[in-house]
């Protein structure tokens, strides 16, 4: 079986969120089950400037987008058995410092950029077809959602086996919506601009192409697969998802324990393991010093690493901290960036509680590991969370997660309050400040009982979310259409 995976991010080359972690890990895991996995990625500036072995191929192509004709080239990285093809157009990708957004605003030509990527990747595959024909096209998120449609109507596959297409929803909120007037860029027959196809609520909606035309749909946790079929969490697309429920599978993302592992991570002040957690004490001191907080072991050090977005429930964190900090032995550290208003609110909060709060606005893989290791409890009060990775990283790092009961968080954390024998974290069920505070207060209480907390922490460290189980489930989905 040969699989081509299409995505707009891939760790370690380029990352803004969990999508990159998944695309970075899944291909290598799939190779335990199948012969060949290639990845197609835009060639961004981060990749060009990173320390990677990129080679230029001889493949070139020309594409018509609306009234323009654009040239494309292809570069390549060989990554432990996986070929990563980088689709290049200097002006669309390498010229930009950021992936999708500049100064808080989407690039005005994002539609052109990702139509170019989809069509370019398919053009490259057509050129390569003598040597390789794929059985599966696995597309991720709206940036690649046109691929199932283009593949289905392509002349190229009229006399050949058309690859089966799988479309994975990493977050239903990001649908790739554009004004309908931009439709000509897609170079599709006019009939596709209708509510039956790519139009949704008066906009051109790229995700709909994936939802309608992919042979199979997946999303990143079983609970989220159910939630997106409801009006509340279906982001305007619940009807179409309900229609396709027979082909919609929830597969929880795995964790790459070769990267997220406190025994091995090179970023930590001290390494530690389930058998010997003493290094975690050093990691806590490191973080308290890093953020200029009093170095005290008896204070519950909470924290989070996140995109600062509405989805992530940061309003609950801010409100709960305001109430709890004055009265409790509690500290909080944050690494994140995104919504400028939220950034300012956290910076203001730090000014108000300089001995209890540390804030770093930015993106840093190293600090993300250091925070995961140094804190006692990880806060993840997301309004909704398709899968969530930091809760799973936290479990392995012995940092007890405090999470809202939603999506992949509900599938990964077991509530200590209702299951004292099996529990691995604290769950709150209603998305309110009061419920979140109650969970935090419970954590503060248990933290005082040292041996009980240690048990809880170690139970979390034993949890196993390794990729092999998830990769097996993807193989099952692929096999549905392969004879
Ligand atoms: P999402 O994909 O919605 O952002 P996930 O929990 O699925 O959320 O994945 C987030 C990933 O991005 C994790 O690997 C997390 O550590 C990382 N991340 C988020 N913000 C930052 C940041 N400011 N610095 C470093 N890593 C970050």
């Amino acid at each position: 079986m040969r699989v081509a995976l299409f995505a707009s991010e891939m760790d370690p080359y380029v990352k803004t969120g969990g999508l990159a972690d998944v695309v970075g890990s899944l291909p290598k895991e799939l190779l335990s089950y199948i012969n060949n996995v290639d990845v197609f990625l835009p060639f961004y500036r981060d990749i060009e400037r990173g320390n990677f072995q990129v080679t230029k191929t001889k493949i070139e192509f020309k594409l018509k987008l609306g009234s323009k004709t654009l040239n494309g080239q292809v570069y390549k990285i060989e990554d432990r058995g996986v070929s990563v093809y980088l689709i290049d157009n200097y002006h669309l990708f390498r010229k930009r410092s950021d992936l999708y957004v500049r100064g808080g605003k989407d690039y005005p030509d994002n539609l052109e950029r990702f139509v170019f990527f989809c069509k370019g990747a398919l053009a490259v595959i057509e050129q390569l077809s003598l040597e390789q024909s794929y059985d599966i096209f696995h597309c991720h998120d709206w940036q690649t959602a046109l691929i199932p449609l283009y593949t289905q109507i392509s002349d190229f596959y009229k006399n050949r086996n058309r690859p089966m297409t799988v479309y994975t929803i990493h977050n239903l909120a990001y649908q790739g919506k554009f004004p309908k007037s931009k439709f000509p860029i897609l170079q599709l027959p006019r009939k596709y601009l209708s509510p039956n196809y790519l139009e949704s609520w008066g906009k051109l909606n790229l995700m709909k192409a994936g939802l309608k035309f992919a042979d199979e749909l997946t999303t990143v946790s079983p609970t989220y697969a159910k939630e997106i079929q409801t009006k509340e969490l279906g982001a305007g697309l619940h009807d179409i998802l309900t229609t396709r429920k027979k082909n919609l599978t929830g597969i929880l993302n795995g964790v790459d324990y070769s990267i997220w592992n406190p025994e091995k991570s090179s970023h930590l002040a001290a390494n530690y393991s389930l058998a010997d957690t003493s290094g975690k004490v050093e990691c806590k001191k490191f973080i308290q010093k890093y953020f200029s907080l009093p170095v005290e072991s008896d204070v519950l050090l909470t924290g989070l690493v996140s995109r600062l977005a509405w989805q992530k429930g940061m309003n609950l964190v801010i409100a709960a901290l305001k109430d709890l900090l004055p009265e409790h032995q509690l500290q909080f550290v944050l690494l994140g960036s995104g919504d400028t208003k939220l950034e300012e609110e956290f910076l203001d909060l730090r000014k108000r509680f300089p001995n209890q709060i540390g804030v770093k606005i930015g993106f840093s893989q190293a600090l993300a590991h250091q925070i995961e290791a140094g804190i006692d409890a990880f806060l993840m009060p997301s309004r909704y969370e398709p899968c969530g990775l930091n809760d799973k990283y936290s479990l392995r790092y012995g940092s007890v997660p405090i999470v809202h009961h939603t999506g992949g968080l509900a599938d990964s954390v077991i509530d200590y309050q209702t299951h004292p024998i099996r529990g691995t974290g604290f769950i709150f069920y209603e998305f309110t400040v009061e419920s979140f505070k109650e969970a935090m207060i419970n954590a503060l209480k248990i933290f005082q009982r040292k041996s009980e907390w240690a048990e809880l922490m170690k139970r979390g460290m034993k949890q196993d979310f390794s990729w092999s189980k998830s990769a097996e489930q993807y193989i099952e989905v692929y096999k549905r259409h392969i004879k």
Side-chain angles (χ1 to χ4, degrees):
M1 195 191 288
R2 295 173 66 97
V3 176
L5 214 137
F6 305 87
S8 65
E9 299 184 22
M10 178 179 186
D11 195 49
Y13 308 112
V14 61
K15 168 168 171 173
T16 68
L19 168 67
D21 297 34
V22 174
V23 180
S25 307
L26 179 61
K28 284 167 224 146
E29 288 298 329
L30 290 173
L31 282 179
S32 312
Y33 303 88
I34 57 181
N35 313 336
N36 183 271
V37 184
D38 295 336
V39 179
F40 291 79
L41 203 66
F43 191 14
Y44 299 103
R45 181 185 285 197
D46 278 4
I47 309 181
E48 185 185 24
R49 297 198 176 170
N51 193 16
F52 308 116
Q53 283 232 317
V54 180
T55 51
K56 192 168 181 207
T57 72
K58 290 191 178 129
I59 309 164
E60 290 181 356
F61 59 92
K62 256 189 200 340
L63 284 183
K64 233 176 120 40
L65 293 193
S67 57
K68 287 188 208 154
T69 302
L70 298 176
N71 292 318
Q73 306 185 65
V74 183
Y75 291 73
K76 204 173 169 189
I77 299 175
E78 291 299 340
D79 182 353
R80 287 169 286 167
V82 176
S83 295
V84 182
Y85 290 95
L86 304 165
I87 305 298
D88 179 53
N89 174 285
Y90 175 75
H91 288 280
L92 296 183
F93 298 111
R94 269 190 292 141
K95 197 178 170 191
R96 326 275 172 114
S97 54
D98 297 85
L99 264 56
Y100 318 115
V101 178
R102 185 83 192 124
K105 282 204 171 139
D106 288 353
Y107 289 125
D109 59 352
N110 270 347
L111 181 66
E112 287 87 336
R113 297 173 76 224
F114 290 101
V115 170
F116 176 87
F117 173 61
C118 292
K119 291 191 129 211
L122 293 175
V124 172
I125 288 171
E126 290 184 15
Q127 284 196 32
L128 294 175
S129 71
L130 289 179
E131 302 140 54
Q132 45 186 316
S133 63
Y134 294 106
D135 303 293
I136 310 286
F137 281 173
H138 189 167
C139 310
H140 296 262
D141 271 353
W142 71 263
Q143 293 89 346
T144 66
L146 288 166
I147 287 175
L149 168 56
Y150 284 142
T151 307
Q152 216 169 85
I153 62 174
S154 155
D155 286 341
F156 185 75
Y157 292 109
K158 280 205 175 118
N159 306 313
R160 294 176 174 78
N161 281 339
R162 177 178 71 78
M164 170 217 173
T165 51
V166 180
Y167 179 68
T168 297
I169 305 159
H170 291 262
N171 190 333
L172 193 66
Y174 300 94
Q175 298 177 3
K177 294 183 203 169
F178 299 93
K180 286 199 292 183
S181 58
K182 290 200 161 202
F183 179 74
I185 291 167
L186 274 55
Q187 305 271 310
L188 284 169
R190 181 71 180 70
K191 74 165 187 184
Y192 289 107
L193 186 61
S194 75
N196 262 342
Y197 295 109
L198 305 195
E199 186 183 333
S200 177
W201 304 100
K203 294 262 187 191
L204 171 61
N205 185 313
L206 295 204
M207 184 180 270
K208 264 190 96 180
L211 302 185
K212 276 260 169 191
F213 292 97
D215 297 303
E216 290 290 329
L217 305 176
T218 71
T219 189
V220 290
S221 69
T223 297
Y224 194 59
K226 287 189 207 128
E227 288 173 344
I228 56 179
Q229 294 177 50
T230 65
K231 196 158 184 252
E232 296 71 47
L233 289 174
L237 296 175
H238 60 282
D239 282 343
I240 168 169
L241 286 159
T242 311
T243 321
R244 298 225 51 203
K245 71 174 172 205
K246 281 209 180 98
N247 302 95
L248 170 61
T249 313
I251 302 176
L252 198 67
N253 287 335
V255 172
D256 188 336
Y257 289 122
S258 68
I259 299 172
W260 293 95
N261 186 343
E263 279 181 68
K264 294 189 187 143
S265 172
S266 58
H267 301 296
L268 306 188
N271 290 104
Y272 58 93
S273 64
L274 181 62
D276 177 6
T277 55
S278 55
K280 193 165 170 62
V281 178
E282 294 310 310
C283 293
K284 180 168 179 177
K285 282 186 196 154
F286 174 89
I287 281 296
Q288 287 172 320
K289 278 188 205 150
Y290 180 93
F291 284 102
S292 309
L293 299 174
V295 176
E296 286 168 18
S297 60
D298 286 343
V299 175
L300 178 73
L301 175 57
T302 60
L304 61 86
V305 179
S306 180
R307 286 186 296 120
L308 298 181
W310 180 84
Q311 171 203 340
K312 301 292 180 182
M314 292 297 142
N315 56 326
L316 295 199
V317 176
I318 292 166
L321 287 174
K322 278 182 186 162
D323 286 353
L324 296 177
L325 286 171
E327 290 171 20
H328 294 275
Q329 288 265 81
L330 178 63
Q331 292 174 340
F332 169 76
V333 294
L334 167 128
L335 167 64
S337 62
D339 185 327
T340 41
K341 200 165 160 278
L342 285 170
E343 290 179 4
E344 279 161 21
E345 279 187 60
F346 277 113
L347 288 167
D348 284 349
L349 209 59
R350 168 159 174 85
K351 278 190 202 136
R352 216 171 118 187
F353 300 99
N355 283 325
Q356 286 175 285
I357 291 192
V359 175
K360 175 82 183 166
I361 303 297
F363 194 96
S364 159
Q365 301 257 29
L367 188 56
H369 281 258
Q370 287 152 1
I371 290 180
E372 284 288 4
I375 58 177
D376 300 302
F378 193 96
L379 310 183
M380 209 153 168
S382 310
R383 272 167 215 273
Y384 71 91
E385 193 58 74
C387 174
L389 288 170
N390 283 108
D391 54 316
K392 295 155 200 57
Y393 301 157
S394 302
L395 286 166
R396 183 49 60 103
Y397 277 67
S399 303
V400 177
I402 303 178
V403 305
H404 180 211
H405 188 264
T406 184
L409 304 178
D411 292 333
S412 316
V413 180
I414 305 166
D415 188 16
Y416 183 65
Q417 290 147 120
T418 42
H419 302 283
I421 310 286
R422 294 190 300 126
T424 56
F426 297 88
I427 300 189
F428 64 100
Y429 292 83
E430 279 174 36
F431 188 79
T432 59
V433 178
E434 282 316 308
S435 303
F436 178 47
K437 265 169 48 183
E438 208 177 295
M440 296 259 302
I441 288 167
N442 276 324
L444 279 157
K445 223 186 285 165
I446 306 298
F447 185 68
Q448 297 311 320
R449 306 182 201 149
K450 293 293 169 220
S451 60
E452 200 176 330
W453 185 267
E455 282 293 303
L456 170 61
M457 182 178 119
K458 287 187 176 176
R459 210 174 302 128
M461 292 178 81
K462 283 185 204 153
Q463 302 295 303
D464 184 4
F465 295 99
S466 47
W467 260 107
S468 52
K469 200 168 138 211
S470 317
E472 243 171 67
Q473 290 174 280
Y474 278 109
I475 298 284
E476 287 306 310
V477 172
Y478 297 163
K479 279 187 184 160
R480 276 183 209 158
H481 295 253
I482 305 265
K483 293 188 185 69

